[in-house]
């Protein structure tokens, strides 16, 4: 059965279930509409021409609900009004990559059953676990990432939550024209298990992610892996309008499924953020380790996160979306300011972060990066200005990126 047939079958079953309960409750219909306009420009030292991308993304659909049962359908389209960039799929890479190819697709098609302590979702859906380091939606990219899956979220006791997903296809950011190593979708039989427990010092989460990238075109199955780990995330109020937030995580990863490699690699993260009357300062250290195994030092045997929202981590210049063979160590320091209301603006945020990147093996200095962001809401519109500057030492080349973005939703 194809993925689309599975999706249609799930929705048909849901419709029959709703019809069978006729008279119990009325069906409510909630429209869904989103729009985004973004200008992105990029300049790399190893490419003569700059990239200019003016893209417009729209999403539309509806959520139908009756009691505990709901069905959601959302379509999306991405149009490049200015397309002087390499989208990763068409043409030659004569300009820097902007990973927003034109696309029209079914974004969400899910059936959901939700009661107090249980939510089950089947079909094409968003899955974002914890901070999205290992499993996420990649919401920054216009086509985002969704999963054809069955997911159960269970709360058997107060403060305890179990999250289990079986994924048979990952719908990538490359859209309907995806090909070769940048597929439209990556099939497999992945299991994502996450259990969280609230404690006095924060939420303690244990996880097991068995990722099956069952596609020869996607790095020859080398992104199939099993990852086991734990994460603690919490915050503590030190005084009036003074709060300390912190997180720590550790994981081990090795080959899985049809992966021809034989490797073991580690991951750990520690960071903290101090918020004093809206002013923020923080620092952290994240390590995606180099492999230890018979093929140590080979590509795709360091710690990889193929299902994560990788744009959120290790700088916005996208130099580490795939972990280098010798791993990566990211020391970062940042600060900023946030306010709920500032004149006509709400949700105001100013932030800046400096990164120093080194290899996990041999201690090579890859390069440094500075990331800056200013964002705010004006009524129903979110405005964001973002900038990234990567200064290369031993990995990649000097790169500058600038984004101006408007988002609107109902």
């Amino acid at each position: 059965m194809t993925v689309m047939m599975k999706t249609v079958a799930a929705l048909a079953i849901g419709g029959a279930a709703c019809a069978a309960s006729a008279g119990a409750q009325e069906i409510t219909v909630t429209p869904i509409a989103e729009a985004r306009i973004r200008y992105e420009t990029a300049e790399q030292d190893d490419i003569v021409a700059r990239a200019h991308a003016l893209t417009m993304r729209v999403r539309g659909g509806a959520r139908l609900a009756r009691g505990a049962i709901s069905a959601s359908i959302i379509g999306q389209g991405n149009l490049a009004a200015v397309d002087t960039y390499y989208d990763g799929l068409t043409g030659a890479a004569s300009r820097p990559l902007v990973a927003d190819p034109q696309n029209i697709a079914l974004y969400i098609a899910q059936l959901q059953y939700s009661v107090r302590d249980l939510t089950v979702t089947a079909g094409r859906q968003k899955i974002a676990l914890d901070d999205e380091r290992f499993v996420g939606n990649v919401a920054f990219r216009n086509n985002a990432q969704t999963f054809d899956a069955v997911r159960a979220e269970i709360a058997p006791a107060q403060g305890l939550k179990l999250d289990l997903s079986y994924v048979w296809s990952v719908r990538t950011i490359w859209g309907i024209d995806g090909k070769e190593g940048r597929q439209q979708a990556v099939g497999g039989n992945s299991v994502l298990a996450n259990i969280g427990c609230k404690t006095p010092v924060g939420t303690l989460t244990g996880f097991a992610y068995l990722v099956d990238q069952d596609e020869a075109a996607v790095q020859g199955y080398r992104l199939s892996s099993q990852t086991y780990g734990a994460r603690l995330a919490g915050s503590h109020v030190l005084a009036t309008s003074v709060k300390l937030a912190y997180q720590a995580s550790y994981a081990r990863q090795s080959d899985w499924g049809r992966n021809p490699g034989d490797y073991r690699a580690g991951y750990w993260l520690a960071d903290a953020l101090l918020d004093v009357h809206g002013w923020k300062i923080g620092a952290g250290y994240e390590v995606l380790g180099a492999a230890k195994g018979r093929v140590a030092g080979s590509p795709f045997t360091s710690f990889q996160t193929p299902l994560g929202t990788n744009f959120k981590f290790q700088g916005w210049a996208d130099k580490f979306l795939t972990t280098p063979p010798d791993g990566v160590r990211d020391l970062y320091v940042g600060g900023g300011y946030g306010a709920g209301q500032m004149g006509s603006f709400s949700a105001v945020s100013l932030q800046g972060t400096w990164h120093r990147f080194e290899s996990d093996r041999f201690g090579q200095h890859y390069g440094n990066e500075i990331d800056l962001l200013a964002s705010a809401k004006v009524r129903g519109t979110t405005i964001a200005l973002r900038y990234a500057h990567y200064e290369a030492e031993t990995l990649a080349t000097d790169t500058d990126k600038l984004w101006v973005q408007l988002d609107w939703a109902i």
Side-chain angles (χ1 to χ4, degrees), residues 76-404:
Q76 72 173 7
N78 183 53
L79 173 68
V82 176
D83 62 355
T84 52
Y85 67 96
Y86 176 54
D87 66 6
L89 300 176
T90 58
S94 58
R95 295 179 184 270
L97 173 67
V98 176
D100 287 325
Q102 297 192 99
N103 182 45
I104 183 166
L106 183 64
Y107 178 60
I108 298 292
Q110 70 176 43
L111 176 69
Q112 188 174 84
Y113 172 78
S114 184
V115 291
R116 179 183 172 190
D117 300 327
L118 173 66
T119 299
V120 178
T121 309
R124 187 163 302 171
Q125 59 189 281
K126 295 188 289 185
I127 301 178
L129 301 179
D130 297 324
D131 60 354
E132 301 189 51
R133 190 43 167 137
F134 301 108
V135 181
N137 179 231
V138 197
F140 181 77
R141 299 270 51 119
N142 281 348
N143 297 321
Q145 174 176 272
T146 54
F147 301 82
D148 291 339
V150 176
R151 181 186 186 188
E153 299 167 81
I154 308 164
Q158 186 173 2
L160 182 65
K161 182 180 178 182
L162 178 63
D163 197 316
L164 294 171
S165 297
Y166 166 67
V167 179
W168 62 83
S169 180
V170 180
R171 314 300 296 189
T172 76
I173 65 171
W174 302 109
I176 58 173
D177 294 322
K179 58 185 178 180
E180 299 173 349
R182 292 166 173 162
Q183 297 269 294
Q184 173 189 143
V186 180
N189 297 284
S190 298
V191 177
L192 313 174
N194 185 304
I195 183 167
C197 178
K198 292 184 179 180
T199 75
V201 294
T203 299
L204 179 62
T205 304
F207 51 84
Y209 302 136
L210 310 182
V211 176
D212 181 17
Q213 298 272 271
D214 193 16
E215 294 281 354
V218 183
Q219 316 305 347
Y221 308 108
R222 288 181 174 85
L223 290 177
S224 294
S225 64
Q226 52 184 326
T227 301
Y228 306 93
R231 177 175 184 265
L232 175 68
S235 62
H236 183 68
V237 177
L238 304 177
T240 303
S241 298
V242 179
K243 184 171 72 172
L244 177 67
Y246 46 83
Q247 61 175 329
S249 185
Y250 175 79
R252 295 290 294 175
Q253 184 179 93
S254 60
D255 53 282
W256 177 255
R258 298 179 66 178
N259 190 331
D262 179 10
Y263 78 99
R264 291 161 299 281
Y267 169 90
W268 64 272
L269 164 74
D271 78 6
L273 178 70
L274 182 65
D275 185 330
V276 181
H277 298 282
W279 293 95
K280 300 175 176 65
I281 185 169
Y285 194 54
E286 184 183 43
V287 178
L288 281 74
K292 296 175 178 60
R294 290 183 303 191
V295 288
S298 299
F300 310 112
T301 58
S302 48
F303 198 105
Q304 303 292 334
T305 57
L307 302 186
T309 300
N310 296 339
F311 178 82
K312 289 178 59 178
F313 302 89
Q314 299 177 335
W316 300 329
D318 285 348
K319 300 304 178 182
F320 300 97
L321 296 180
T322 299
T323 308
D326 291 322
V328 59
R329 293 174 175 259
D330 176 16
L331 171 66
Y332 54 93
V333 179
Y337 178 75
Q341 196 72 37
M342 188 180 292
S344 300
F345 299 96
S346 61
V348 177
S349 178
L350 303 172
Q351 59 180 273
T353 306
W354 173 84
H355 298 262
R356 178 183 172 88
F357 301 110
E358 294 183 346
S359 64
D360 181 50
R361 183 189 288 117
F362 306 130
Q364 292 180 316
H365 182 198
Y366 288 146
N368 300 328
E369 182 167 330
I370 295 175
D371 298 316
L372 304 173
L373 173 65
S375 65
K377 276 189 173 183
V378 180
R379 296 182 180 176
T381 303
T382 299
I383 306 168
L385 176 65
R386 190 186 302 256
Y387 171 75
H389 170 70
Y390 177 77
E391 184 176 346
E393 292 290 339
T394 61
L395 184 139
T397 58
D398 290 359
T399 300
D400 289 276
K401 293 188 176 185
L402 175 69
W403 300 264
V404 181

